[in-house]
Amino acid sequence: MSNEKMRNADGGTGGARTVTSLNVQVRSVKRNERKDKESGQRPGERHCFYGHCRKATNVAVKFNADKGRCWKESHFEVTLIADTGSLLKRYTRNLVDEGNGKFNLIILCWGEGHGTAIHDHADAHCFMKVLQGTLTEVRFSWPDANKMPHNHDDNGNDQKVLEEMSRAELELNEVAYINDSIGLHRVENLSNINPAVSLHLYCPPYSNCHVFNELTGQSTLTKVTFWSKFGEKRDKEIQSSRDPEDN
Ligand SMILES: N[C@@H](CS(=O)O)C(=O)O
Ligand SMILES: [Fe+2]
Protein backbone atom coordinates (compact mmCIF):
# COMPACT_ATOMS: atom_id res chain seq x y z
CA MET A 1 0.00 0.00 0.00
CA SER A 2 2.67 2.49 1.00
CA ASN A 3 4.22 2.22 -2.45
CA GLU A 4 1.10 3.53 -4.04
CA LYS A 5 0.53 6.20 -1.44
CA MET A 6 2.33 9.48 -1.16
CA ARG A 7 2.16 12.62 0.84
CA ASN A 8 1.94 16.02 -0.78
CA ALA A 9 3.62 19.06 0.62
CA ASP A 10 0.76 21.47 0.24
CA GLY A 11 -2.99 21.27 -0.09
CA GLY A 12 -5.80 21.47 2.37
CA THR A 13 -9.48 22.05 2.52
CA GLY A 14 -11.71 24.86 3.51
CA GLY A 15 -14.59 22.79 4.79
CA ALA A 16 -16.80 20.05 3.48
CA ARG A 17 -18.45 22.15 0.82
CA THR A 18 -15.66 23.89 -1.05
CA VAL A 19 -12.30 22.65 -2.23
CA THR A 20 -9.86 25.46 -1.62
CA SER A 21 -6.55 23.85 -2.35
CA LEU A 22 -5.54 20.80 -4.29
CA ASN A 23 -2.29 19.43 -5.53
CA VAL A 24 -2.25 15.84 -6.69
CA GLN A 25 0.72 14.20 -8.28
CA VAL A 26 0.89 10.53 -9.09
CA ARG A 27 4.50 9.55 -9.44
CA SER A 28 3.86 5.84 -9.58
CA VAL A 29 2.38 5.95 -13.06
CA LYS A 30 5.36 4.32 -14.71
CA ARG A 31 5.27 1.43 -12.28
CA ASN A 32 1.55 1.05 -12.80
CA GLU A 33 1.99 1.13 -16.56
CA ARG A 34 4.52 -1.64 -16.26
CA LYS A 35 2.16 -3.64 -14.09
CA ASP A 36 -0.57 -3.17 -16.65
CA LYS A 37 1.65 -4.44 -19.41
CA GLU A 38 2.66 -7.44 -17.36
CA SER A 39 -0.93 -8.28 -16.65
CA GLY A 40 -1.92 -7.59 -20.22
CA GLN A 41 -4.46 -4.95 -19.23
CA ARG A 42 -5.33 -2.15 -21.62
CA PRO A 43 -2.36 -2.51 -23.94
CA GLY A 44 -1.15 0.77 -25.35
CA GLU A 45 -2.98 2.91 -22.85
CA ARG A 46 -1.08 5.08 -20.45
CA HIS A 47 -2.58 7.39 -17.97
CA CYS A 48 -1.25 10.10 -15.82
CA PHE A 49 -2.99 12.64 -13.72
CA TYR A 50 -2.28 15.63 -11.66
CA GLY A 51 -4.33 18.50 -10.44
CA HIS A 52 -3.42 21.90 -9.18
CA CYS A 53 -5.71 24.40 -7.59
CA ARG A 54 -5.16 27.89 -8.88
CA LYS A 55 -7.56 29.59 -6.54
CA ALA A 56 -10.44 28.65 -4.32
CA THR A 57 -12.99 26.41 -6.07
CA ASN A 58 -10.99 26.28 -9.34
CA VAL A 59 -9.17 23.06 -10.08
CA ALA A 60 -7.09 22.56 -13.19
CA VAL A 61 -6.41 19.01 -14.20
CA LYS A 62 -3.97 18.02 -16.86
CA PHE A 63 -4.70 14.62 -18.12
CA ASN A 64 -2.73 12.52 -20.50
CA ALA A 65 -4.80 9.88 -22.20
CA ASP A 66 -2.74 9.45 -25.36
CA LYS A 67 0.49 7.63 -24.68
CA GLY A 68 2.21 10.49 -22.93
CA ARG A 69 2.20 12.88 -25.83
CA CYS A 70 -0.79 15.09 -25.94
CA TRP A 71 -1.73 16.97 -22.81
CA LYS A 72 -5.19 18.28 -22.47
CA GLU A 73 -6.03 20.92 -19.94
CA SER A 74 -9.43 21.50 -18.46
CA HIS A 75 -10.67 23.81 -15.77
CA PHE A 76 -13.32 22.84 -13.34
CA GLU A 77 -15.50 24.73 -10.97
CA VAL A 78 -15.62 22.44 -7.97
CA THR A 79 -18.56 23.27 -5.83
CA LEU A 80 -19.65 20.67 -3.37
CA ILE A 81 -23.33 20.78 -2.85
CA ALA A 82 -23.30 17.42 -1.17
CA ASP A 83 -24.21 17.19 2.45
CA THR A 84 -21.88 14.96 4.43
CA GLY A 85 -24.10 15.16 7.50
CA SER A 86 -25.75 12.37 9.33
CA LEU A 87 -29.10 12.78 7.57
CA LEU A 88 -27.74 10.92 4.56
CA LYS A 89 -27.26 7.22 5.15
CA ARG A 90 -24.35 6.78 2.81
CA TYR A 91 -21.56 8.66 1.15
CA THR A 92 -22.39 10.75 -1.88
CA ARG A 93 -20.72 10.62 -5.30
CA ASN A 94 -20.56 13.99 -7.03
CA LEU A 95 -19.47 14.20 -10.65
CA VAL A 96 -17.21 17.18 -11.33
CA ASP A 97 -16.08 16.47 -14.90
CA GLU A 98 -16.48 13.77 -17.54
CA GLY A 99 -13.14 14.48 -19.22
CA ASN A 100 -14.61 14.32 -22.72
CA GLY A 101 -15.44 10.71 -22.09
CA LYS A 102 -11.84 9.83 -21.15
CA PHE A 103 -12.17 9.98 -17.37
CA ASN A 104 -14.51 10.85 -14.52
CA LEU A 105 -13.46 13.28 -11.82
CA ILE A 106 -15.64 12.76 -8.78
CA ILE A 107 -15.82 14.17 -5.28
CA LEU A 108 -17.00 11.79 -2.59
CA CYS A 109 -18.44 13.11 0.66
CA TRP A 110 -18.41 10.73 3.58
CA GLY A 111 -20.50 11.21 6.68
CA GLU A 112 -19.42 9.74 9.99
CA GLY A 113 -19.26 5.95 9.67
CA HIS A 114 -20.02 5.90 5.94
CA GLY A 115 -18.26 3.28 3.84
CA THR A 116 -18.38 1.28 0.65
CA ALA A 117 -19.03 -2.39 0.07
CA ILE A 118 -16.05 -4.43 -1.14
CA HIS A 119 -15.86 -3.65 -4.84
CA ASP A 120 -13.80 -3.75 -8.01
CA HIS A 121 -13.22 -0.86 -10.41
CA ALA A 122 -14.47 -2.21 -13.74
CA ASP A 123 -10.98 -2.48 -15.18
CA ALA A 124 -10.35 1.26 -14.70
CA HIS A 125 -7.49 3.09 -13.05
CA CYS A 126 -8.56 4.72 -9.79
CA PHE A 127 -6.68 7.58 -8.16
CA MET A 128 -7.98 9.08 -4.95
CA LYS A 129 -6.86 11.90 -2.69
CA VAL A 130 -8.17 12.76 0.76
CA LEU A 131 -9.27 16.39 0.86
CA GLN A 132 -10.69 16.32 4.37
CA GLY A 133 -10.72 13.88 7.26
CA THR A 134 -9.25 10.38 7.27
CA LEU A 135 -10.33 7.35 5.25
CA THR A 136 -9.46 3.72 5.83
CA GLU A 137 -8.79 1.50 2.84
CA VAL A 138 -8.91 -2.29 3.25
CA ARG A 139 -7.70 -4.32 0.29
CA PHE A 140 -8.86 -7.84 -0.50
CA SER A 141 -7.72 -10.50 -2.93
CA TRP A 142 -10.05 -11.52 -5.71
CA PRO A 143 -12.13 -14.54 -4.70
CA ASP A 144 -10.32 -17.77 -5.44
CA ALA A 145 -11.92 -20.87 -4.04
CA ASN A 146 -8.53 -22.58 -3.68
CA LYS A 147 -6.90 -19.81 -1.68
CA MET A 148 -9.67 -18.17 0.32
CA PRO A 149 -9.33 -18.49 4.11
CA HIS A 150 -11.90 -20.66 5.88
CA ASN A 151 -14.36 -19.49 8.48
CA HIS A 152 -17.48 -20.87 10.15
CA ASP A 153 -20.89 -19.33 9.71
CA ASP A 154 -23.47 -19.02 12.53
CA ASN A 155 -24.51 -22.63 12.02
CA GLY A 156 -20.95 -23.89 12.22
CA ASN A 157 -20.77 -24.53 8.49
CA ASP A 158 -17.42 -24.10 6.80
CA GLN A 159 -17.24 -21.10 4.49
CA LYS A 160 -14.54 -19.36 2.54
CA VAL A 161 -14.13 -15.65 3.12
CA LEU A 162 -12.40 -12.96 1.09
CA GLU A 163 -8.77 -12.61 2.09
CA GLU A 164 -7.70 -9.25 3.51
CA MET A 165 -4.39 -8.17 1.96
CA SER A 166 -3.73 -4.84 3.62
CA ARG A 167 -5.26 -2.04 5.65
CA ALA A 168 -4.16 1.58 5.52
CA GLU A 169 -5.27 4.92 6.86
CA LEU A 170 -5.34 7.65 4.27
CA GLU A 171 -4.90 11.00 5.91
CA LEU A 172 -5.33 14.54 4.67
CA ASN A 173 -3.70 15.04 1.26
CA GLU A 174 -2.62 11.43 0.89
CA VAL A 175 -3.10 9.79 -2.49
CA ALA A 176 -3.84 6.15 -3.24
CA TYR A 177 -4.11 4.16 -6.44
CA ILE A 178 -5.86 0.90 -7.22
CA ASN A 179 -6.88 -1.09 -10.24
CA ASP A 180 -8.31 -4.56 -10.65
CA SER A 181 -4.91 -6.17 -11.08
CA ILE A 182 -4.03 -5.01 -7.54
CA GLY A 183 -7.24 -6.33 -6.00
CA LEU A 184 -10.54 -5.25 -4.47
CA HIS A 185 -11.09 -2.76 -1.71
CA ARG A 186 -13.45 -1.25 0.81
CA VAL A 187 -13.09 2.40 1.84
CA GLU A 188 -14.60 3.77 5.05
CA ASN A 189 -14.73 6.89 7.15
CA LEU A 190 -14.38 5.26 10.55
CA SER A 191 -14.67 8.51 12.47
CA ASN A 192 -17.72 8.99 14.68
CA ILE A 193 -17.32 12.74 14.75
CA ASN A 194 -15.67 13.94 11.54
CA PRO A 195 -16.91 13.82 7.96
CA ALA A 196 -14.44 13.19 5.14
CA VAL A 197 -14.09 14.34 1.53
CA SER A 198 -12.07 12.71 -1.24
CA LEU A 199 -11.30 13.39 -4.87
CA HIS A 200 -11.38 10.43 -7.29
CA LEU A 201 -10.28 10.07 -10.86
CA TYR A 202 -11.45 7.02 -12.80
CA CYS A 203 -10.01 6.27 -16.20
CA PRO A 204 -11.74 5.15 -18.29
CA PRO A 205 -15.04 6.15 -16.69
CA TYR A 206 -17.35 3.31 -15.77
CA SER A 207 -21.01 2.97 -14.90
CA ASN A 208 -21.06 -0.55 -13.44
CA CYS A 209 -18.83 -2.40 -11.05
CA HIS A 210 -19.05 -5.54 -8.90
CA VAL A 211 -19.68 -5.61 -5.18
CA PHE A 212 -18.55 -8.64 -3.20
CA ASN A 213 -19.88 -10.43 -0.17
CA GLU A 214 -16.97 -10.69 2.25
CA LEU A 215 -18.25 -13.94 3.74
CA THR A 216 -18.76 -15.86 0.51
CA GLY A 217 -16.86 -13.98 -2.20
CA GLN A 218 -20.02 -13.85 -4.30
CA SER A 219 -20.26 -10.82 -6.54
CA THR A 220 -23.13 -8.74 -7.89
CA LEU A 221 -23.00 -6.33 -10.82
CA THR A 222 -24.02 -2.89 -9.61
CA LYS A 223 -24.77 0.40 -11.32
CA VAL A 224 -22.89 3.39 -9.96
CA THR A 225 -24.81 6.65 -9.64
CA PHE A 226 -24.19 10.27 -8.80
CA TRP A 227 -25.78 12.28 -6.04
CA SER A 228 -24.96 15.44 -8.01
CA LYS A 229 -23.57 16.23 -11.44
CA PHE A 230 -21.71 19.45 -12.19
CA GLY A 231 -23.02 21.03 -9.00
CA GLU A 232 -26.67 20.10 -9.65
CA LYS A 233 -28.40 17.64 -7.39
CA ARG A 234 -29.80 14.63 -9.27
CA ASP A 235 -33.34 13.26 -9.09
CA LYS A 236 -34.26 11.33 -5.96
CA GLU A 237 -35.21 8.36 -8.12
CA ILE A 238 -31.73 8.19 -9.66
CA GLN A 239 -30.02 8.63 -6.33
CA SER A 240 -31.95 5.83 -4.71
CA SER A 241 -30.92 3.18 -7.21
CA ARG A 242 -28.41 0.64 -5.98
CA ASP A 243 -24.84 1.93 -5.55
CA PRO A 244 -21.53 0.20 -4.84
CA GLU A 245 -21.84 1.32 -1.27
CA ASP A 246 -24.93 -0.85 -0.79
CA ASN A 247 -24.08 -4.13 0.79
N1 LIG B 1 -14.73 3.42 -5.82
C1 LIG B 1 -15.75 3.94 -4.93
C2 LIG B 1 -15.22 4.83 -3.88
S1 LIG B 1 -13.89 4.24 -3.05
O1 LIG B 1 -13.26 5.16 -2.22
O2 LIG B 1 -13.71 2.97 -3.04
C3 LIG B 1 -16.79 4.71 -5.70
O3 LIG B 1 -16.47 5.21 -6.76
O4 LIG B 1 -17.91 4.86 -5.22
FE1 LIG C 1 -13.16 2.10 -4.86
Side-chain angles (χ1 to χ4, degrees):
M1 174 69 205
S2 55
N3 289 342
E4 287 112 33
K5 190 174 81 173
M6 61 213 84
R7 289 172 191 277
N8 290 294
D10 70 357
T13 62
R17 285 159 202 273
T18 309
V19 178
T20 55
S21 180
L22 172 68
N23 181 11
V24 181
Q25 285 197 317
V26 178
R27 279 165 287 190
S28 56
V29 165
K30 275 208 162 62
R31 190 179 46 73
N32 292 327
E33 281 174 3
R34 197 171 60 241
K35 264 200 171 171
D36 288 349
K37 275 186 198 154
E38 282 166 3
S39 65
Q41 283 197 345
R42 303 192 176 287
E45 282 194 20
R46 293 176 190 168
H47 306 286
C48 151
F49 162 65
Y50 70 85
H52 175 69
C53 181
R54 305 222 159 136
K55 57 181 181 174
T57 74
N58 279 333
V59 178
V61 172
K62 281 189 177 177
F63 180 72
N64 174 0
D66 297 315
K67 298 184 184 172
R69 288 188 202 117
C70 143
W71 287 83
K72 176 177 166 298
E73 191 163 355
S74 315
H75 296 264
F76 307 108
E77 279 288 315
V78 180
T79 306
L80 295 187
I81 61 166
D83 185 352
T84 62
S86 53
L87 286 179
L88 291 167
K89 279 188 284 184
R90 59 193 189 188
Y91 74 91
T92 62
R93 307 176 81 254
N94 304 278
L95 183 64
V96 174
D97 195 272
E98 285 178 317
N100 288 335
K102 301 270 191 189
F103 63 89
N104 271 353
L105 189 64
I106 303 173
I107 289 191
L108 269 49
C109 298
W110 312 76
E112 298 83 347
H114 288 179
T116 69
I118 299 170
H119 59 275
D120 67 8
H121 295 87
D123 219 10
H125 296 269
C126 165
F127 300 98
M128 59 182 282
K129 176 179 181 177
V130 177
L131 302 181
Q132 179 175 316
T134 300
L135 292 171
T136 300
E137 185 201 30
V138 186
R139 291 189 174 177
F140 297 85
S141 305
W142 282 84
D144 176 340
N146 296 323
K147 292 186 191 156
M148 285 161 74
H150 290 247
N151 203 352
H152 289 103
D153 67 15
D154 292 344
N155 301 320
N157 298 322
D158 190 48
Q159 61 183 184
K160 290 176 176 175
V161 298
L162 284 183
E163 183 182 9
E164 185 176 317
M165 292 194 293
S166 66
R167 180 177 286 261
E169 278 204 345
L170 297 169
E171 292 175 352
L172 183 65
N173 293 323
E174 287 189 325
V175 175
Y177 171 82
I178 191 167
N179 67 34
D180 289 348
S181 70
I182 293 173
L184 312 170
H185 74 176
R186 164 192 283 145
V187 176
E188 292 167 293
N189 172 21
L190 294 178
S191 173
N192 291 324
I193 48 175
N194 294 317
V197 180
S198 54
L199 177 70
H200 295 238
L201 185 133
Y202 298 118
C203 175
Y206 60 88
S207 47
N208 293 290
C209 71
H210 292 93
V211 299
F212 294 79
N213 183 322
E214 184 174 355
L215 298 179
T216 63
Q218 278 186 330
S219 67
T220 312
L221 188 65
T222 301
K223 189 172 158 47
V224 298
T225 60
F226 298 109
W227 194 84
S228 74
K229 272 189 170 188
F230 318 117
E232 298 283 335
K233 200 169 162 185
R234 315 263 358 247
D235 292 346
K236 274 212 171 88
E237 195 184 324
I238 294 169
Q239 291 165 26
S240 64
S241 63
R242 196 175 151 83
D243 268 1
E245 60 267 41
D246 294 336
N247 260 310

